[in-house]
Amino acid sequence: MVDSQEMVKKVFTQNSARIDTNKGDAYYNSLFEKAKERLKALRAQPALKDIDMMEVVESEGVNRRDFMKWASATTATLMLPPMFTPLVAEATELMNRVPVIWIELQDCAGNSEAILRSSTPTVDDLLFDVLSLEFHHTLMAASGHQAEHQLEDAMHHFKGKYLLFVEGAIPTALNGQYGTIGPSGETFQEHLARLSKDAAAVVAVGTCATYGGVPAAAPNPTGAVGVMDLVKGKPVINIPACPANPANMVGVVLHYVLTGQVPELDSLLRPKFAFGYRIHDNCERRAHFDAGEFVEEWGDIGAQNNFCLYKVGCKGPMTFNNCSIIRYNEGANWPIGVGRGCIGCSEPDFWDKYAYERPMADANIKAPTGGVEKTVDEFGLGLLTATTIGIGVHAVASAVAGKRTVHSEDEE
Amino acid sequence: MKTVDIVERIEGEAKLVCQWEKNKISDVRVEFLNFRGFEYILKGKAPLDALVYTPRICGICGQAHLKATVEALEQIYKNHNEELIITNKAKLLREVGLNIEIIDSHIKWFYMFIMPDVVKFSNNDYSEYKALKGKKWLEASACASEVIKVLAIIGGQWPHTSYMIPGGVVSDPTLLDLTTMQNYIDYGIKFFENNLVGMEIENYLSFNEAEDLYKVKADLKDFITLSFENGFEKIGKSYNRHLVLGSSLSFEEGKINKKLIKNIDFENIEELSLNTFNIDKSKNSKDAYTWSKSALYANNFYETGPLSRTLVQNRKFISSVHKHYKDSMFTRVMARMDELGFLLKKTKELIKRVDISEDSFIKPKISINEFKHGLAEVAVEACRGSLYHEVEIEDGKISKYDVITPTVWNLGPGIDGKLSTSQKAIIGTNSIEKAKLILRSFDVCSVCTTH
């Protein structure tokens, strides 16, 4: 177990998380044909639920045009060219061919809560009417023994076909006695092993399920690990973040429906469409970073003017995630939008590695991605001339104002 | 006879082990078998890091944990005669955030956790309440999604935000933001009016006696009708002792053990673990059967939650319902839904009171790490009841972090021959379905209970 955690840290240092956003016409044309075949085959299969997507959409007062707008945005999220938009729309209609079983282990239900408010229009319907959610611990109608039977039925009926969504870490200390489930007292570890055995793929949702998350924070009292530490010989897709962004959960399912395959993953098994770039790359405050304009402390003039939060602890420059584009709660906002800064919640070990007085400490963190994390100044000097000038100007301004000029570990 | 049943469709899972005598439950154990160990994890961490850890105790009441943590850290300043200035604006934005979380939770609790079980007691067609598919379920989900955006605007995301920090809040909403927040609240108010009670909110909030129950329309009327058909007003009665540890612009602290006492002393709080598993298995007591601890106030079990808050505040409608039907499962559900209406109106007023020209944050003069030693105890009102945090710091690190959640008060194991609040409420029930409903009426959260 420890080895694989070490492995995680090692692969994190590689450049494989970078995404190639244009793979060329030949690639996309071939994928397009493949997706068309796939959707045709899916359409020939019986629907698990007899529900017409467009009827659902229209009955909710959303017109075809708005729906296509959504499909177009989702196509962009999946990093596919616009020609895929009609196929994505069609895939949405065929989501009822893919059964989903969702289980909760050592969790706080935060990801379930997040998906309850998934992206509009009417993606509640997408998920709950069209997507065939065969089992969900917290949301389903059944409870007690009836629920147990429902789970058994779903596993048996959709053997080898269902996507298993896992929320929560798995405690391994004390033979798994920190977490048991069901009347028989099966440990979470046994439960995961039994349910993943016949799954088509396992989707780990949230930082607990991917890397062990909060429960695995030092001293990891329950020996918590993530899904990929235990499930072998089976595709595992990680959708980290705390909570994971519902748009990415929907994206993974859509991609699977569209292509019959798991999306392209990085070395941490994260879909590249969502984790192929850093928050910093698309941050709305990025211009202020480049101009050397920083919030020095909460509530200052910089904070009032939405300056860059790097100096008050923002981990955006070393955090791979698309939340700077997707945002949260149907795009209502995101942490950086309110001036709090990113805490790096989609990165492994972020609880310990990025912790120190998060989110308000000086951002003097050594993340292994190579880049901004050194210090603002080193980064500026090394990589961006414009930024260096910006920071130079800023440093002078700070000095005049009698404030700290640079960050270094010796300070304070 | 002994039966073992599983209660799902809560946050996490609970095991209900019942002893039966003459077709009635004669003894019951509520077992929570999932543990993460937050109190161990927080030990040795920087105090400000707790602002990011504790909201993750629960995906539903994270704001309450955040507010408790931030107030505890501010308490440490105060205990060192370095009291921080928190502007009205920051106080309001914190309370708005917390209230919105409670509003969101109450909507979902009624439609997702209570009604799907309640309608099973009827032969009539209530398929609109069906989980995941029913029209009412979906509308409630949509409403919760809209209302929670009020919090997203100032908190950045939900669940799990950390926008409160010692000295204030990081967010600085514009007038446009405040207007948008009011629009989302109005969506919630419309939902309350059209879907839940079938009348204008002012009209509903003017109710002041139990007879007004018959004026309620829409979905809450369905609940009332089904309750009286099935005797829900007669089941689930516990000690009728009530506790509210937190006070704010929205709630008043106090306790009721026959009579109302308005001052609360944290000295009286006691947490025991005779029936609780130990993290070190070799130290397990032979009576251990759950990860939950037991919480007592002045050596007694107390109920906490919306019913307790309503009674301590003496809001007339539910107080009158309570006079007739005591602390029954019916009264508990009614109190939570009544609080939804109360908070929607209250929170809208709070947003109106925000003065954007005030500071959001005033920097503490010294770092919390400069205190060699610090100790704080605070309580806030969360959706499920009173939440208590006790923090101790030594040499700039957390040396002890103790959390007592509302569900520990209500659902922890009984101790020393005394039944806990929920045990007392369940014993005597004649069916497992009713026992589960009683359990649900406390708004069970397994992950909060064990944390």
Side-chain angles (χ1 to χ4, degrees), chain B residues 251-314:
Chain B
F251 300 116
E252 292 166 31
E253 65 172 36
K255 72 176 176 82
I256 300 174
N257 183 0
K258 295 194 178 74
K259 67 179 195 325
L260 173 65
I261 301 209
K262 284 277 189 179
N263 52 343
I264 287 293
D265 188 348
F266 290 158
E267 286 280 300
N268 292 325
I269 297 172
E270 191 181 12
E271 194 182 36
L272 299 161
S273 53
L274 289 177
N275 298 113
T276 314
F277 294 125
N278 195 296
I279 185 135
D280 178 356
K281 207 183 179 185
S282 65
K283 291 183 187 151
N284 256 356
S285 91
K286 64 176 172 31
D287 300 318
Y289 65 82
T290 177
W291 281 108
S292 174
K293 294 177 182 171
S294 311
L296 301 174
Y297 187 89
N299 212 20
N300 273 324
F301 280 103
Y302 275 82
E303 174 170 347
T304 180
L307 174 58
S308 309
R309 291 196 281 253
T310 309
L311 298 177
V312 167
Q313 253 171 325
N314 193 19

Side-chain angles (χ1 to χ4, degrees), chain A residues 26-170:
Chain A
Y27 171 84
Y28 292 115
N29 288 335
S30 130
L31 185 69
F32 189 82
E33 290 308 316
K34 202 171 141 193
K36 255 173 42 186
E37 287 305 310
R38 156 84 176 164
L39 293 178
K40 206 169 133 193
L42 269 185
R43 199 173 279 286
Q45 282 176 23
L48 302 172
K49 294 222 164 55
D50 186 23
I51 285 169
D52 183 274
M53 181 61 209
M54 285 325 295
E55 268 177 31
V56 170
V57 167
E58 274 153 24
S59 75
E60 291 296 318
V62 179
N63 63 35
R64 177 96 201 162
R65 223 175 91 201
D66 285 337
F67 177 67
M68 290 313 286
K69 259 193 225 164
W70 177 85
S72 156
T74 305
T75 307
T77 303
L78 291 171
M79 292 197 167
L80 295 169
M83 69 176 183
F84 279 84
T85 302
L87 292 191
V88 167
E90 195 184 342
T92 309
E93 293 174 56
L94 295 171
M95 275 169 85
N96 60 0
R97 265 75 167 176
V98 177
V100 168
I101 292 177
W102 180 302
I103 57 170
E104 292 182 52
L105 304 174
Q106 217 177 4
D107 73 332
C108 72
N111 299 291
S112 293
E113 288 297 319
I115 199 149
L116 269 178
R117 48 211 94 258
S118 170
S119 164
T120 47
T122 63
V123 176
D124 276 342
D125 302 302
L126 276 180
L127 283 164
F128 299 126
D129 273 11
V130 180
L131 178 70
S132 186
L133 194 62
E134 297 297 323
F135 183 88
H136 189 297
H137 212 93
T138 306
L139 302 176
M140 64 197 168
S143 177
H145 295 301
Q146 196 196 347
E148 294 299 308
H149 293 148
Q150 191 173 329
L151 177 59
E152 293 300 323
D153 284 353
M155 281 172 60
H156 178 73
H157 193 76
F158 302 112
K159 194 173 171 175
K161 289 182 185 154
Y162 59 86
L163 292 177
L164 178 68
F165 275 66
V166 182
E167 178 178 10
I170 308 100

Side-chain angles (χ1 to χ4, degrees), chain A residues 106-109 113 117 128 138 140-141 144 178 180 182 218 242 298 329-330 333-335 340 355 357-358, chain B residues 6 8-9 11 13 33 35 45 49 53 56 59 108 133 149 153 156-158 162 165 279 361 369 447:
Chain A
Q106 217 177 4
D107 73 332
C108 72
E113 288 297 319
R117 48 211 94 258
F128 299 126
T138 306
M140 64 197 168
Y178 291 110
T180 63
C242 188
W298 313 110
N329 301 94
E330 302 181 357
N333 214 342
W334 66 307
R340 197 200 73 191
E357 294 204 347
R358 171 187 47 212
Chain B
I6 294 290
E8 274 133 342
R9 209 153 28 71
E11 298 299 309
E13 185 183 89
L33 302 171
F35 179 73
K45 300 283 195 286
D49 276 359
Y53 278 87
R56 266 90 182 171
K108 285 184 296 183
K133 304 282 174 287
K149 287 178 189 166
I153 286 171
Q157 72 182 63
W158 193 89
S162 301
I165 47 172
I279 185 135
F361 172 81
N369 301 340
V447 300

